[in-house]
Structure formats: C-alpha cells, structure tokens
Amino acid sequence: MSCIFSTIYAEEVRCSDTNLFVDFHHFPECQMENSCVSSHLNIEKGSAVSTERSVHDFKCMIFTESFVHEIPSSIFMTLKSNITHLYANEVGISELRRISFPFGQKLEYVNLVGNKLRGIKETVFYDTPNLKSLNLSKNQISEFSSNAFEKLSSLSSLDLSDNQITSVPFELFQPLRHKHLHINLRHNRMQIKFGIFPEFLENLDLSYNNIEIYHKFKIFSLLNNLETLLLHGNRIENIHFSIFESN
C-alpha cells in the first residue's frame, strides 16, 4: 500500500485581465504588455500559494485589490523569473520572510507602500543584489536587524518615510554605497547619532522628526558627497556650520 501526499494550495498567483482597468501612470516603468496584474487574492498567514508559470515571463508584477499577508515567495522561486519591478501597495502585507525574494537577482524596484510592516529582518533582501529602489513608506516600521540592507550595495533610493522609526542600528545604512544615494526618513520620530549615514549619501530628507542639533556634535561631518539635506519640522532653533566640518 502506498500513500501519495499533495499540497492543497489556498491561492494561485496568476495574471488577470484587470490590466484593462489599471492606470499605468501609477507604474511609470511598466506598460500593459509587460505587466502581470494579480487581483482579488486572499493570502492568509501560512497559506500555501502556487504561481502560474506565465507570471515569470513578465517584467512587472502588480498586486491590487487583494489581501496579502506576505509576498508569495513562489513568484521568485525560479531562475527563469524575469520580474524586475514589484508593486504591492496597500494590500495588507504585515510580514516579510527572512528570504522573501529567492532567485530575485533581476529585481530592481520594490514598492510596498501603505502596508502593515513593523520590522525588517536580516536576510529579507539577501537575494536581490541588483535592487536599485526600495519604497517602504507608510508602513508601521520601528525595528530593523542591523544587517537588514547588507546586500543592497546597488541601491540608489530608499524611502522609509511615514513610519514609526525612532532610531536605527549603527550598521544599518553602511552597506549602501551607490554614489547617488537618496534616503527619505521624512515623518518619523527619529533622533540621529554621528556616523549612522553612509559616506556616499547625496540626498537626505529628515524633515518632521524629533531631531535636536547641538553644534558641538559634527553629525554630518563624514558626508562629503551630500548635496541636499532637509531638516524642517524638527526641534531645531538654529544650525551651526560646524556640524558639517570634518576637522
């Protein structure tokens, strides 16, 4: 007597004809012909999720009108995946697995705006070395593993605005080495310390936080590449140029 075990999939990620009703102006890197739009999914925690093979042929993956507890790793579970852009805005994501994007070497753009993420674990982005833009704004993020961005040396844009960040590990941003790096931390609860930002940083938005600056602390002295710094909306009465001096 033999037994056959099979997995019962609660949902299947597939491309729907919802493309006809999607405004691609919200997805400037994508066009109808190169996009897979997956809608009306209900992916609960622990759900077994399969992915239709054709999904891997598209450049852009867009989730809409769905509830998705976590990104289905099955959409990246093959070297044949051609997905470079992932949009999963306002679909209820509350968790990213430690390896959420296996075989995600082609992934360049991840947009997870308006979800329910509370923290970023250490190996979430280990398989996305070519990621250029990561948008995690309008979540509930307050915690990071110190090496959460360790493999993202190609990242040029990181948006963490509108979260609940009060501080970050000293090592968090150090692996980000793109020469035109932009970091947006607007509308958080940040207090900053000397040395937390990488030397290649070109644009930094720290507006509307809880920042106080004392001239004796040269907190921006290592940022020789900095071109734009936004600090309005903080608890700052005046700024002395010594905070930028390296000597």
Side-chain angles (χ1 to χ4, degrees):
M1 181 178 179
S2 61
C3 295
I4 299 174
F5 296 92
S6 62
T7 302
I8 305 300
Y9 292 104
E11 286 284 359
E12 182 181 48
V13 177
R14 62 176 63 194
C15 305
S16 64
D17 53 11
T18 311
N19 291 38
L20 300 174
F21 306 100
V22 170
D23 184 357
F24 281 93
H25 289 96
H26 296 303
F27 313 106
E29 299 85 359
C30 306
Q31 293 82 40
M32 184 182 297
E33 59 271 15
N34 67 8
S35 299
C36 172
V37 178
S38 191
S39 62
H40 302 100
L41 293 171
N42 183 23
I43 301 176
E44 302 282 351
K45 184 176 182 179
S47 296
V49 181
S50 64
T51 297
E52 191 176 64
R53 288 186 179 182
S54 63
V55 168
H56 305 299
D57 298 332
F58 292 89
K59 171 184 175 181
C60 293
M61 182 75 217
I62 302 171
F63 290 94
T64 183
E65 298 180 14
S66 297
F67 172 79
V68 181
H69 174 79
E70 60 187 7
I71 298 294
S73 58
S74 58
I75 66 176
F76 297 101
M77 200 68 78
T78 173
L79 287 169
K80 296 180 180 180
S81 176
N82 290 310
I83 298 172
T84 59
H85 291 67
L86 171 65
Y87 291 89
N89 304 348
E90 300 180 350
V91 292
I93 298 171
S94 57
E95 184 179 358
L96 292 176
R97 294 184 181 183
R98 290 192 178 274
I99 300 180
S100 291
F101 310 101
F103 303 112
Q105 287 84 355
K106 293 181 181 179
L107 201 56
E108 298 179 0
Y109 185 97
V110 172
N111 189 316
L112 304 179
V113 173
N115 285 291
K116 299 178 181 179
L117 294 170
R118 295 180 179 273
I120 305 298
K121 299 174 183 177
E122 58 184 347
T123 57
V124 170
F125 300 106
Y126 263 34
D127 288 322
T128 59
N130 297 309
L131 197 63
K132 298 176 182 178
S133 178
L134 176 60
N135 193 337
L136 299 172
S137 63
K138 297 181 181 178
N139 276 273
Q140 303 166 21
I141 299 171
S142 61
E143 296 181 357
F144 298 88
S145 293
S146 60
N147 55 352
F149 301 141
E150 183 178 354
K151 301 295 184 179
L152 300 184
S153 59
S154 298
L155 198 71
S156 60
S157 177
L158 174 61
D159 193 340
L160 296 169
S161 61
D162 292 281
N163 276 286
Q164 299 174 13
I165 304 168
T166 57
S167 63
V168 297
F170 179 83
E171 307 90 346
L172 181 66
F173 298 127
Q174 299 309 315
L176 309 183
R177 306 185 65 81
H178 194 281
K179 64 180 180 179
H180 298 300
L181 178 62
H182 170 77
I183 296 178
N184 187 352
L185 285 160
R186 182 185 181 95
H187 280 292
N188 277 282
R189 304 170 185 173
M190 285 282 294
Q191 296 180 356
I192 57 176
K193 297 180 180 179
F194 173 81
I196 65 171
F197 296 114
E199 59 179 315
F200 295 95
L201 189 57
E202 187 173 87
N203 298 286
L204 176 61
D205 189 345
L206 290 169
S207 54
Y208 299 101
N209 277 276
N210 290 331
I211 297 170
E212 294 180 292
I213 292 180
Y214 302 96
H215 71 272
K216 64 180 179 179
F217 298 120
K218 300 179 180 181
I219 53 178
F220 301 116
S221 61
L222 301 178
L223 304 182
N224 297 321
N225 201 40
L226 193 65
E227 293 186 359
T228 303
L229 173 63
L230 301 179
L231 288 167
H232 55 280
N234 283 285
R235 303 188 313 189
I236 301 172
E237 294 184 3
N238 57 71
I239 295 178
H240 196 276
F241 282 106
S242 62
I243 66 172
F244 300 100
E245 294 176 351
S246 57
N247 296 316

